[in-house]
Amino acid sequence: MKKDQSKRLQQQIDAINSLVLHQIKPSMQRIAIMDYLITHRTHPSADEIYEKLSIGMPTLSKTTVYNTLKLFASNGAAQMITIDEHQVNFDADTSTHAHFLCKQCGKIYDLSLPELATMPDMQKIEGHLVKEISYFYKGICKDCLAKGTKDSNTN
Amino acid sequence: MKKDQSKRLQQQIDAINSLVLHQIKPSMQRIAIMDYLITHRTHPSADEIYEKLSIGMPTLSKTTVYNTLKLFASNGAAQMITIDEHQVNFDADTSTHAHFLCKQCGKIYDLSLPELATMPDMQKIEGHLVKEISYFYKGICKDCLAKGTKDSNTN
DNA sequence: TTCATATTTGTAATGATTACATTTTTATAT
DNA sequence: ATATAAAAATGTAATCATTACAAATATGAA
Ligand SMILES: [Mn+2]
Ligand SMILES: [Mn+2]
Ligand SMILES: [Zn+2]
Ligand SMILES: [Zn+2]
């Protein structure tokens, strides 16, 4: 179990590095939340993060999770994803990349669309100063297509 | 005032046509809501539509507005825009076009980005069946840039 | 230690959206 | 035209993600 221990330690360090890099003073909670974001690339919601972390950290407050995620977002340490109209999801990967939401299972996938990379951030478009870019796709994911054979009409 | 009358009538007809085209049986409320969407290209929220329409239609229910907009969206008569994390906005223009949300004034603008048109709807990307595409940009809009000279650091 | 500041916590709002039961409208059959 | 069934709209009460706020705790310099 030595491996697990040292791996977890390295993850913590990665989390702290990301925080410091984005001018966020590390704290128990902030490290835990950033660590969760880094090790779970499934674009979790605030509630999911709270539920999972509060198991090993019973005093964690949901408010702290919300505040912390908002702090991360405004400092560029994480990105807010508003692809789902019901809740906001978060991503430690702040690079401009596209997301796909499966309407059936709800999972959010990363998409690497090379043609999108052509458009640089932080520029003006039609006179507006662009600070954030989001590319969202919705439909039925690979896995759900494989399972259910219904609705396979639209090729 | 003859002109106004006939113009309004034509708008109603346009609204009805869009409904019928999308297999939605026209009703007073549905026509009014579609008419509002067509004549107000500002991407209104359900609440805004309700507030404005209920003036001249006091019995209108907010539930009806929500139900109707959801019906429009699932029949392809309007598109839901989840660019704002606080509420959903709607657009009678169902063509694939980008949107810009101003973080200062909250207005949502259309962007006509020709390079986006290259990607056709209803195809598979990385194995996932794509049914909807959204391109969202956020920042400070033209007007707000002109007014406030603060935060002009990021050219 | 002491004091000021930053962070976290718990609880109570808020506010958009939805559920649901009731009423009204519309269409159809008699 | 009347009765009847289905569709649509209404009003109210939940739901539930997010935020506001005040109190408690931790941090860090003096
Ligand atoms: Mn991602
Ligand atoms: Mn639009
Ligand atoms: Zn799926
Ligand atoms: Zn603006």
Side-chain angles (χ1 to χ4, degrees), chain A residues 15 33 104:
Chain A
I33 293 170
Q104 199 151 113

Side-chain angles (χ1 to χ4, degrees), chain A residues 128, chain B residues 100-109 139-145 147:
Chain A
H128 310 307
Chain B
F100 177 89
L101 168 67
C102 177
K103 292 174 148 190
Q104 199 151 113
C105 67
K107 278 209 278 279
I108 297 175
Y109 295 80
I140 308 297
C141 82
K142 208 173 179 174
D143 294 357
C144 286
L145 284 176
K147 289 175 193 165

Side-chain angles (χ1 to χ4, degrees), chain B residues 43 81 91 97 99 110:
Chain B
H43 313 95
I81 302 174
D91 193 345
H97 61 285
H99 289 106
D110 283 326

Side-chain angles (χ1 to χ4, degrees), chain A residues 59-112:
Chain A
T59 66
L60 180 65
S61 164
K62 192 174 275 192
T63 299
T64 299
V65 176
Y66 275 100
N67 289 341
T68 301
L69 289 170
K70 180 174 287 190
L71 176 68
F72 286 3
S74 59
N75 282 39
Q79 89 179 132
M80 284 180 39
I81 302 174
T82 60
I83 194 173
D84 187 334
E85 78 222 58
H86 295 106
Q87 97 254 44
V88 177
N89 295 273
F90 293 87
D91 193 345
D93 179 355
T94 57
S95 72
T96 297
H97 61 284
H99 289 106
F100 177 89
L101 168 68
C102 177
K103 291 174 149 189
Q104 199 151 113
C105 66
K107 278 209 279 280
I108 297 176
Y109 295 80
D110 282 327
L111 295 180
S112 46

